[in-house]
């Protein structure tokens, strides 16, 4: 690192901002990008990769791009902890099946990814068991989890896995968008969706990414303070920055007492955030936390994280492991297809197609992808998928956070079979719950086709 200063950070941030602005313009003007609904951050990341140090070297990024991604995921987890209460007892009724399906998707990627490496790729090709983390890290986890998992391996002296994790997230997002659009078209032909007959039926604002009509413009948050005291957004950001900085401080203390153990800072941020939210609740001050503002902060951090993640990919590292990565991507795609095509219609209740295509979106890239695909087939959100997901995802949170926190460490410690056992058990429990739900309340698909479970 050569003389890294705050001005270096400003230059990096300026180039990232410029790339994001160009990505927005290209999305608004180029029809193929509109047809695939490629996010502006994804376009910006590819531009950063092509014109940055990894390829052409025209953009003078510092060598801290990957580090930015690791810092930003701490911010995302801090926002996640502060944005809502996680009460599993709220889940009941039809949401149970949707929740079990979501857990099965995530835990299945963790388990099958590790099993594929242990049983096939390691014996035949001699690959490291760490490759078993790349499916869930890049697909169900997306760029945020890819940054987190990559940082764990970087701290352990295996920095190449950060590039591989970001590459997995990149391919996952592409598979999610292209596969989701293809499913929407097939679903329309088969009568599963009524309000989609091709990309021309998708509102122009969704395709271009530009909100033109006043009715579609929504506030990103609400003021909770008088401007004479503090800017409300500044307070929300201050709380998140305090949690993030506190998490880093806690990590230094833990490192001092347990030097042989690497504690992921993003996981510490989640715990610290829960404690801070508990304090706000104890003092009846949660009304001063604005969820909309926190979601905007988290979304902005994720957009920049995606740019940093893609732009920091080292092409040579990916090229050296291309064959193994392609096999892993094929396995990841197979998991999503099998669950989406064969399990979802037989287990999810009313609106199964909308729930499935939404799950496809987040299971291949990000929740934002899932929302975009859902709006393609359900532009008015009449299926209730979003409301159900708000509750259904609660049991997925501990599965996800525990996987991101412990799976890389277990892989590094040579305990990969523990990963298979623990997350495999989660997947089995989710499958059993799905079976019970289906037996109790057959789906419309089963009734019409006489399917037995």
């Amino acid at each position: 690192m050569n003389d890294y200063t705050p001005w270096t950070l400003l230059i990096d941030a300026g180039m990232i901002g410029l790339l994001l602005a160009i990505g927005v313009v290209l999305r608004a003007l180029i029809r193929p990008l509109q047809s695939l609904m490629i996010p502006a951050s994804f376009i910006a990341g590819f531009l950063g990769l092509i014109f940055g140090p990894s390829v052409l070297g025209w953009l003078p990024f510092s060598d801290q791009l990957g580090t930015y991604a690791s810092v930003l995921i701490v911010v995302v987890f801090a926002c996640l902890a502060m944005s809502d209460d996680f009460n599993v007892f709220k889940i009941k009724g039809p949401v149970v099946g949707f929740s079990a399906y979501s857990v099965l998707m995530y835990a299945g990627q963790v388990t099958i990814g590790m099993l594929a490496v242990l049983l096939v790729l390691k014996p035949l090709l001699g690959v490291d068991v760490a490759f078993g983390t790349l499916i869930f890290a890049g697909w169900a986890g997306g760029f945020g989890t890819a940054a987190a998992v990559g940082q764990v391996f970087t701290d352990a002296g295996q920095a190449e896995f950060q590039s591989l994790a970001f590459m997995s997230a990149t391919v996952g997002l592409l598979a999610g968008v292209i596969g989701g659009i293809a499913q929407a078209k097939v679903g329309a032909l088969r009568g599963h969706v009524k309000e989609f007959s091709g990309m021309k039926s998708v509102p122009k604002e969704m395709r271009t990414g530009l909100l033109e009509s006043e009715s579609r413009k929504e506030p990103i948050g609400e003021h909770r303070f008088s401007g004479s005291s503090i800017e409300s957004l500044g307070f929300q950001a201050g709380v998140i920055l305090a949690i993030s900085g506190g998490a880093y401080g806690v990590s230094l203390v833990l490192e001092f007492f347990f030097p042989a153990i690497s504690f992921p800072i993003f996981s510490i941020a989640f715990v610290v955030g829960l404690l801070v939210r508990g304090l706000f609740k104890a003092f009846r001050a949660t009304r001063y936390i604005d969820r909309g503002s926190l979601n905007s902060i988290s979304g902005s951090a994720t957009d920049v994280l995606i740019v940093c993640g893609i732009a920091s990919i080292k092409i040579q590292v990916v090229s050296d492991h291309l064959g193994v990565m392609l096999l892993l991507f094929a396995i990841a795609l197979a998991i999503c297809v099998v669950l989406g095509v064969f399990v979802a219609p037989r287990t999810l209740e009313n609106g199964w197609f909308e729930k499935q295509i939404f799950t496809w979106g987040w299971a291949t890239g990000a929740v934002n992808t899932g929302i975009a695909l859902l709006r393609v087939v359900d532009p008015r959100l009449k299926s209730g998928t979003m409301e159900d997901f708000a509750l259904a995802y609660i049991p997925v949170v501990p599965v996800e956070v525990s996987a991101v926190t412990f799976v890389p460490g277990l892989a590094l410690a040579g305990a990969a079979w523990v990963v298979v056992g623990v997350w495999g058990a989660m997947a089995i429990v989710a499958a059993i719950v799905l079976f019970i739900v289906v037996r109790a309340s057959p789906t419309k698909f089963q009734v019409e086709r006489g399917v037995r479970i």
Side-chain angles (χ1 to χ4, degrees), residues 378-394:
D378 182 20
R380 301 175 191 175
L381 299 181
K382 293 194 295 185
S383 66
T385 299
M386 288 300 300
E387 292 83 354
D388 288 349
F389 175 75
L391 293 176
Y393 201 72
I394 292 175

Side-chain angles (χ1 to χ4, degrees), residues 412-438:
L412 288 168
W417 281 107
V418 174
V419 174
V420 174
V422 173
W423 278 268
M426 295 179 186
I428 291 172
V429 169
I432 292 173
V433 171
L434 267 180
F435 178 84
I436 294 173
V437 169
V438 171

Side-chain angles (χ1 to χ4, degrees), residues 142-185:
F143 280 90
T145 299
V149 171
Q151 186 59 44
V152 173
F153 287 115
T154 298
D155 293 341
Q158 298 182 358
E160 70 274 9
F161 275 95
Q162 188 167 61
S163 285
L164 297 177
F166 283 137
M167 189 64 198
S168 177
T170 301
V171 174
L173 184 58
L174 278 175
V177 172
I178 296 173
I181 296 298
Q183 288 181 62
K185 292 180 178 180

